[in-house]
Amino acid sequence: MLTPISLMKVIAGEGNNRSTPNDKIFLGVIGTGSRGHHLAYLIKEYGHELGMEVTALCDVYQPHLEHTHAMIPEAKVYNDYRRMLDEATELHGVIICTPLHVHAGPTIDSLDRGLHVFCEKAMARTLDDTYAMAEAYYRTGKSLHIGHQRLFDPKFLRGMNKVYNDDLGVVTQIRAYWHRNNDWRRPVPEGQPELERFINWRLYRDYSCGLLTELASHHIQVANWAKKARPVEVRGTGSISFWRDGREVEDNVALIFSYDDGTQFIYDSMIQNRRHGLEVQVLGHKGTLELETNNFFLEEPPPPPKPAGIVQLLQDLEQNVLGKVPIGSSSWDPEIAMTYKGESIVADNNTDGTFEQFYGFAKAIREDKPIPGLFEEGYYASLWTLLGQQAIDTGKAVKMPEKYDISKFNPREFV
Amino acid sequence: MKDIVIKGNRIKAELLMLLYCYIAANLVNVYAIIKYETSWIEIFTWQRFILFIAVLFYVVTIVVRLIVFGFRKGMRKT
Ligand SMILES: NC(=O)c1ccc[n+]([C@@H]2O[C@H](COP(=O)([O-])OP(=O)(O)OC[C@H]3O[C@@H](n4cnc5c(N)ncnc54)[C@H](O)[C@@H]3O)[C@@H](O)[C@H]2O)c1
């Protein structure tokens, strides 16, 4: 079972069986675009802490491959991931940062070759590909780590501990949003308009479900984690309401995921206003977590510390002398938000968990077995993003078809 | 210009007055601590504020004495 404590221990290095200083972990990166380059950079800079090294790079787009190769010149380069898997025999694991529709092939092929896989979220473009990845994971017994970095973010881990310790009371609603104000487009090299769909794959339905697979997937994972459950139903709506530039994915979505116990997870995302940024709020009858901004609020705020006696005396005198005489009162006070500032979940909020994920990946590789429960978090988050898209497309409430239930593979690890 | 001469007695009387004001301010602090059930340590930790209140009391006594003095002088003239 995946508990926040077990992941905290992973980050703290407990149980990370580093037997000899020579037990290096060699990794290949498939897809060296913006995310792949960033992860390769993190491993180059900080991977020595974990004995990790990138020794192979693969991309079908030469400018991206060259950009990352310039950063790690000692790595071998490939244009075909299958060739990389055949030839780079030193590899213990691969990091897959290709576009969503190119996650399943490299993942399954790598697992089948006995490699451990870190694949970026969301898992795949289709339900069947997502399920096929799960099937390969259970079949091979290697780890398949999906890039939902909040699972390794200390503020989310501590926050989840608060949920599990009943500090929030009964959680009946979770709200999350992700707002940006940009067109989400990447520049296409001049004179090569044929690269539009290749570069801006996020905006086209064949390759991506846009805001859902790219952003919402993270918060669905958090909601499932907080509830220790998966939704039973999702309803949603969406539109292309502002960026009418030929894209096929919505720029404005709203969804409600319902859980068995009556909890509602309310999600919205848009890319034409960034006033509220992103947040995920876990609302219980005793308290609230605002995880992205590292805040915890009690429903009954602790009373502020009493001022010194002499100050209270002066305050009373002032009130008696200058105090207002009420001449009437309203029958209703507007129920505006509480002004109490809450408390920080963690004192040092200086990471988003992206690098900490590799602590988990390193542990899984060294022990040659997955971290129990971790994959299932990624699987159901990915699956429910796709079901959310179905709900938007059909205008109907959507449930998960029975065949995608993976508890049959490993009932004990089911979230 | 005429020198102002403050006699030793006067200085003694004023210092005594300041001491009374300081004692009064401390008594007010003790009263506040009892009334609002706060910590006795405030007797020491709030001394700077108590000194400020003592000076305030002292200023009040000066004002009161000036008024009384002016009033008496006026009475004598009439
Ligand atoms: N976890 C996060 O916070 C986070 C953040 C950003 C992106 N991502 C994920 O990372 C993945 C990549 O996103 P990105 O922004 O880097 O996209 P990108 O378009 O910048 O990079 C994708 C790269 O994959 C390459 N590629 C495409 N097909 C390939 C193939 N068959 N073999 C090898 N390489 C191939 C492309 O040439 C490109 O260089 C996506 O799944 C995205 O959702 C996750």
Side-chain angles (χ1 to χ4, degrees):
Chain A
M1 183 73 189
L2 184 72
T3 62
I5 305 239
S6 64
L7 292 183
M8 281 178 200
K9 283 185 182 159
V10 171
I11 297 176
E14 254 176 72
N16 209 341
N17 285 342
R18 299 210 45 192
S19 42
T20 65
N22 298 331
D23 70 338
K24 282 243 165 149
I25 293 174
F26 299 121
L27 300 171
V29 177
I30 304 176
T32 57
S34 94
R35 189 65 173 175
H37 184 86
H38 178 63
L39 296 185
Y41 162 80
L42 288 179
I43 291 169
K44 182 186 159 54
E45 284 296 306
Y46 310 106
H48 57 87
E49 292 171 19
L50 301 166
M52 280 181 154
E53 208 176 295
V54 172
T55 57
L57 300 168
C58 171
D59 203 297
V60 291
Y61 186 55
Q62 205 56 26
H64 287 173
L65 190 58
E66 280 167 13
H67 179 52
T68 307
H69 193 214
M71 179 175 71
I72 311 177
E74 61 278 15
K76 287 166 278 176
V77 289
Y78 301 89
N79 294 115
D80 180 342
Y81 78 84
R82 288 183 198 86
R83 241 194 76 214
M84 182 182 104
L85 296 180
D86 284 342
E87 293 179 11
T89 49
E90 79 283 5
L91 295 181
H92 299 102
V94 291
I95 296 175
I96 297 173
C97 295
T98 46
L100 183 67
H101 69 296
V102 195
H103 283 178
T107 297
I108 295 169
D109 289 346
S110 302
L111 287 170
D112 279 339
R113 279 163 212 244
L115 294 175
H116 295 272
V117 176
F118 176 100
C119 177
E120 264 305 342
K121 54 81 302 220
M123 279 176 69
R125 172 63 191 86
T126 67
L127 291 167
D128 286 341
D129 275 357
T130 308
Y131 185 77
M133 288 165 80
E135 195 275 327
Y137 162 75
Y138 289 112
R139 175 164 40 79
T140 59
K142 297 293 165 187
S143 70
L144 173 50
H145 189 135
I146 306 302
H148 291 114
Q149 63 266 33
R150 283 157 184 78
L151 280 160
F152 287 85
D153 181 332
K155 59 184 174 293
F156 281 79
L157 287 166
R158 288 218 174 276
M160 246 4 106
N161 237 3
K162 283 187 183 293
V163 177
Y164 294 178
N165 288 342
D166 198 39
D167 293 353
L168 277 78
V170 182
V171 171
T172 53
Q173 197 177 98
I174 301 171
R175 297 194 310 185
Y177 50 83
W178 201 319
H179 295 182
R180 289 176 172 175
N181 191 345
N182 61 50
D183 64 4
W184 219 18
R185 282 192 167 279
R186 301 254 176 103
V188 175
E190 222 168 289
Q192 293 180 281
E194 69 279 7
L195 291 182
E196 161 62 16
R197 291 172 78 90
F198 178 76
I199 302 263
N200 284 309
W201 54 268
R202 278 179 177 75
L203 306 182
Y204 299 96
R205 279 298 188 92
D206 283 347
Y207 323 119
S208 171
C209 294
L211 297 176
L212 286 180
T213 45
E214 299 311 310
L215 304 182
S217 159
H218 286 296
H219 285 156
I220 296 174
Q221 181 272 310
V222 174
N224 291 349
W225 194 16
K227 289 308 300 177
K228 288 190 191 166
R230 54 191 174 170
V232 287
E233 194 171 79
V234 55
R235 280 160 252 246
T237 182
S239 55
I240 302 174
S241 56
F242 188 79
W243 299 105
R244 296 193 176 105
D245 55 3
R247 72 186 56 206
E248 295 166 4
V249 300
E250 291 83 3
D251 60 10
N252 192 350
V253 297
L255 298 118
I256 300 175
F257 297 82
S258 305
Y259 291 78
D260 211 12
D261 67 353
T263 298
Q264 310 294 347
F265 168 45
I266 302 163
Y267 183 83
D268 77 86
S269 185
M270 54 126 89
I271 48 173
Q272 51 270 5
N273 179 300
R274 66 186 172 90
R275 163 87 177 93
H276 293 287
L278 85 166
E279 187 55 275
V280 52
Q281 306 166 333
V282 185
L283 310 165
H285 84 285
K286 292 200 289 200
T288 301
L289 282 171
E290 291 186 359
L291 288 156
E292 297 285 1
T293 44
N294 187 30
N295 285 311
F296 173 59
F297 305 87
L298 285 166
E299 283 292 286
E300 296 299 335
K306 276 207 297 188
I310 188 81
V311 176
Q312 292 186 60
L313 184 71
L314 291 176
Q315 283 172 345
D316 278 3
L317 276 173
E318 186 194 356
Q319 205 142 56
N320 286 340
V321 177
L322 304 172
K324 282 188 227 143
V325 183
I327 46 169
S329 65
S330 62
S331 60
W332 178 77
D333 284 329
E335 287 172 76
I336 51 173
M338 291 162 79
T339 49
Y340 139 71
K341 297 260 184 305
E343 59 187 72
S344 299
I345 303 170
V346 291
D348 296 321
N349 180 21
N350 48 19
T351 173
D352 72 349
T354 299
F355 183 69
E356 284 73 7
Q357 296 178 102
F358 292 120
Y359 282 74
F361 195 41
K363 177 176 156 68
I365 292 176
R366 288 215 164 81
E367 294 178 358
D368 196 26
K369 63 172 200 250
I371 295 176
L374 192 60
F375 168 72
E376 288 75 8
E377 287 284 337
Y379 177 77
Y380 284 115
S382 302
L383 204 78
W384 279 92
T385 57
L386 298 175
L387 296 173
Q389 186 67 56
Q390 263 188 25
I392 291 175
D393 293 344
T394 59
K396 294 195 176 121
V398 171
K399 292 185 194 308
M400 183 182 82
E402 201 61 29
K403 66 174 179 170
Y404 298 119
D405 186 340
I406 51 168
S407 56
K408 57 181 167 281
F409 289 116
N410 196 350
R412 274 178 307 130
E413 296 309 344
F414 173 64
V415 282
Chain B
M1 205 178 117
K2 204 176 147 199
D3 285 342
I4 298 171
V5 181
I6 305 175
K7 291 192 182 136
N9 268 358
R10 179 88 255 151
I11 294 175
K12 218 166 137 188
E14 290 307 316
L15 282 176
L16 211 60
M17 184 58 82
L18 198 58
L19 178 68
Y20 291 150
C21 289
Y22 175 66
I23 292 169
N26 273 289
L27 288 176
V28 171
N29 193 18
V30 168
Y31 167 76
I33 289 170
I34 294 168
K35 176 161 187 210
Y36 298 100
E37 292 174 7
T38 54
S39 166
W40 284 105
I41 198 139
E42 286 170 17
I43 288 187
F44 305 105
T45 52
W46 282 78
Q47 269 305 313
R48 272 204 303 194
F49 192 61
I50 295 307
L51 270 176
F52 171 73
I53 292 191
V55 172
L56 209 73
F57 283 177
Y58 179 64
V59 171
V60 171
T61 66
I62 292 175
V63 172
V64 170
R65 281 181 291 160
L66 280 176
I67 292 172
V68 171
F69 176 73
F71 188 67
R72 277 196 188 150
K73 218 173 171 183
M75 288 285 276
R76 244 180 266 145
K77 267 189 192 161
T78 55

